[in-house]
Amino acid sequence: MAFPLSSSITLSFTPSTPKQHFLSTHFAFRFSHACSQENARPVQLKVQCKAFKDFVKDQSPWRNIPRSLNLSTFMNGKKLESLVAVVLILAQISSPLPLGGWDFWSVLPANAVLYSPETKIPRTGELALRRAIPANTNMKAIQASLEDISYLLRIPQRKPYGSMEGNVKKALKIAVDGKDSILGSIPADLREKGSILYTSLIDGKEGLQALLKCIKDQDPDKVSVGLASSLDTVAELELLQAPGLSFLLPEQYLKYPRLTGRAVVELNIEKGDGSSFTPEAGGEPRKTATIQVVLDGYSAPLTTGNFAKLVIDGAYDGTKLSCINQGIISENSLDKNGYSVPLEIMPSGQFEPLYKTTLNVQDGELPVLPLSVYGAVAMAHNEDSEEYSSPYQFFFYLYDRRNAGLGGISFDEGQFSVFGYTTAGREVLPQIRTGDVIRAAKLVEGQDRLVLPKESQ
């Protein structure tokens, strides 16, 4: 592309993030193109970089950057793209800005979470449930420091054992310095048990000191096992610190059953066509298989309360299952006496759930209990209004990263009331086919945390 006989182009770049300090960059170009090569004049490029008054007083790092350049290389029909490329390189040299900060260059915020490969959300039900416990801040800091090791273990070949050691030492320091706060957050009647768990976390056979030794031995398998054990102990301590809900339910929702903590449900699944489930290691083919689901009343008290009551009432015994896209859904029955509970989603960083509203994941809102986990359990939408969940119909979500955004987030994230995760029997889920039956459902743990309204007692 040849330049016109006489032209002027001005480019001005303004950063899109007002809360950070950037250099204001302005480019002005004038191009002159003569009819003959003898009369051709060099192109003049001027680069001006002005700093905000409150950015830095000392501009010495940029004093040696040329502000006026004569570039004869862009004579005689050189493409504008080449010139712009040089300009952008000069911009990076002359001002320490990420090019992503400019409006015309940056990815739109609406897609930032959905398509970001750096998005960190829980990838297992156990991790999601552990993060959902409303525990003492010291325990949460210990948990976060240890969970970072899980990401470091994924690095192939030369693993950063030094960083792992630093994380464990940080967790140890928090645990030792915050002992009184950690144990003081446990109710008096549970404090003795908490003290035993605390000692186990610090000096136990599978505690932090033992984990530190595994890291120094640079044995990734032992580190992985020791880390899982330490995190299990952390979760047990956190559960002692959270004997009930950390928020008050709105008065209009007190008419619903509610679960004020954790509960465990076991579902016995039977093949509808008389075939068998794949045998366990060294076992025989099975006509039935068991799935265990942990219900999280901390984040979804109304949804879990309704589900737990239905289980106790035997509402799911004999219920047929159907396989749909990325899910296994129970049949919808109009003769079951469930409650039409409002859509209930706890956003990350919040202290109580939102009701009757979905999350805008593309704007950065993520739930405490994400759908983007294989074996997540959620209620279907009410047939009459998406502001309410179905009184009875639930589904297992078979998360598949291949059908998610680049950040690994399901496109349905934040749209359903997720209330628990499959923690045992996950290998059974892909073997379930349409027509298989829930032979029996039992609430095996947590019935003491289920609060029923007077009319249903």
Side-chain angles (χ1 to χ4, degrees):
M1 181 180 100
F3 296 124
L5 189 61
S6 178
S7 62
S8 177
I9 300 176
T10 299
L11 298 177
S12 180
F13 305 108
T14 304
S16 61
T17 310
K19 294 183 180 180
Q20 301 182 21
H21 299 291
F22 292 96
L23 291 179
S24 176
T25 309
H26 179 81
F27 303 102
F29 319 104
R30 180 169 293 279
F31 307 99
S32 296
H33 186 77
C35 295
S36 64
Q37 188 167 348
E38 292 78 6
N39 295 327
R41 289 179 294 172
V43 175
Q44 187 180 57
L45 165 67
K46 290 186 178 181
V47 180
Q48 296 177 340
C49 297
K50 295 183 179 180
F52 289 131
K53 293 180 180 180
D54 59 345
F55 180 62
V56 285
K57 294 182 179 179
D58 183 11
Q59 296 293 322
S60 57
W62 299 284
R63 286 175 183 166
N64 297 325
I65 300 298
R67 293 194 177 187
S68 180
L69 302 175
N70 289 323
L71 304 177
S72 58
T73 57
F74 292 99
M75 291 277 298
N76 300 325
K78 292 289 184 180
K79 292 185 178 181
L80 179 59
E81 291 92 327
S82 301
L83 178 59
V84 171
V86 172
V87 170
L88 294 177
I89 293 171
L90 288 171
Q92 281 291 84
I93 295 174
S94 61
S95 94
L97 311 180
L99 285 178
W102 294 336
D103 286 337
F104 80 99
W105 195 270
S106 61
V107 178
L108 292 176
N111 295 325
V113 173
L114 199 60
Y115 294 100
S116 171
E118 300 302 322
T119 300
K120 288 184 179 181
I121 63 172
R123 291 304 179 195
T124 66
E126 290 81 1
L127 177 54
L129 290 166
R130 187 167 60 240
R131 289 186 179 178
I133 304 170
N136 173 279
T137 54
N138 284 326
M139 289 306 302
K140 284 301 179 186
I142 293 170
Q143 177 184 319
S145 184
L146 294 179
E147 285 178 353
D148 281 344
I149 299 176
S150 299
Y151 293 101
L152 298 176
L153 279 171
R154 297 178 191 174
I155 298 174
Q157 298 177 352
R158 295 178 62 86
K159 299 186 184 298
Y161 289 105
S163 298
M164 296 181 198
E165 183 177 341
N167 280 38
V168 176
K169 287 182 176 178
K170 177 183 176 182
L172 270 169
K173 186 176 188 311
I174 295 170
V176 173
D177 293 349
K179 178 179 179 179
D180 292 341
S181 173
I182 291 170
L183 296 179
S185 298
I186 299 174
D189 58 328
L190 298 173
R191 202 161 294 161
E192 183 178 353
K193 182 179 180 180
S195 182
I196 294 172
L197 283 171
Y198 174 84
T199 302
S200 175
L201 177 64
I202 302 297
D203 298 312
K205 185 179 179 181
E206 298 177 335
L208 296 179
Q209 294 288 4
L211 177 59
L212 201 56
K213 184 180 183 304
C214 293
I215 291 173
K216 289 180 179 179
D217 292 342
Q218 297 192 4
D219 187 328
D221 293 332
K222 288 184 178 179
V223 171
S224 181
V225 172
L227 177 62
S229 298
S230 294
L231 284 171
D232 285 344
T233 305
V234 166
E236 288 185 70
L237 266 170
E238 290 181 338
L239 286 171
L240 292 181
Q241 295 176 336
L245 300 183
S246 60
F247 55 89
L248 295 176
L249 282 169
E251 187 175 352
Q252 65 268 31
Y253 297 143
L254 297 180
K255 63 182 180 180
Y256 297 106
R258 56 191 181 276
L259 186 67
T260 60
R262 292 280 165 83
V264 179
V265 169
E266 284 187 356
L267 303 170
N268 189 260
I269 312 296
E270 184 179 66
K271 280 290 184 180
D273 59 1
S275 61
S276 301
F277 288 100
T278 302
E280 297 177 337
E284 297 293 329
R286 300 168 291 168
K287 294 295 183 182
T288 63
T290 300
I291 294 173
Q292 187 179 86
V293 175
V294 174
L295 312 183
D296 183 41
Y298 296 124
S299 304
L302 303 185
T303 309
T304 52
N306 179 57
F307 184 82
K309 183 180 182 302
L310 286 167
V311 169
I312 291 174
D313 292 343
Y316 291 113
D317 296 351
T319 297
K320 290 185 179 180
L321 299 173
S322 297
C323 294
I324 58 174
N325 182 34
Q326 285 190 254
I328 302 167
I329 191 166
S330 67
E331 66 179 355
N332 194 15
S333 179
L334 299 178
D335 61 349
K336 306 296 183 180
N337 296 320
Y339 287 77
S340 187
V341 175
L343 190 69
E344 184 178 42
I345 304 175
M346 173 92 80
S348 294
Q350 301 297 318
F351 298 100
E352 58 185 357
L354 295 177
Y355 291 98
K356 298 184 181 182
T357 182
T358 58
L359 298 187
N360 192 335
V361 175
Q362 291 184 341
D363 282 348
E365 293 181 324
L366 290 173
V368 170
L369 301 179
L371 183 68
S372 307
V373 174
Y374 191 89
V377 186
M379 297 303 293
H381 285 155
N382 190 295
E383 292 182 347
D384 299 323
S385 172
E386 292 193 354
E387 291 185 352
Y388 287 83
S389 294
S390 168
Y392 171 81
Q393 193 175 32
F394 75 98
F395 64 92
F396 295 96
Y397 188 70
L398 307 183
Y399 169 76
D400 187 344
R401 190 181 182 90
R402 294 170 297 180
N403 296 325
L406 294 181
I409 298 178
S410 166
F411 291 102
D412 289 319
E413 190 64 80
Q415 306 300 305
F416 293 92
S417 294
V418 178
F419 62 91
Y421 296 95
T422 306
T423 56
R426 273 189 290 260
E427 74 284 354
V428 174
L429 295 177
Q431 302 179 52
I432 293 176
R433 299 291 181 265
T434 296
D436 291 353
V437 178
I438 299 175
R439 184 53 57 205
K442 296 180 181 179
L443 186 68
V444 296
E445 185 181 326
Q447 188 164 347
D448 58 323
R449 303 181 186 96
L450 178 60
V451 179
L452 300 175
K454 293 181 179 179
E455 62 269 20
S456 64
Q457 290 180 349

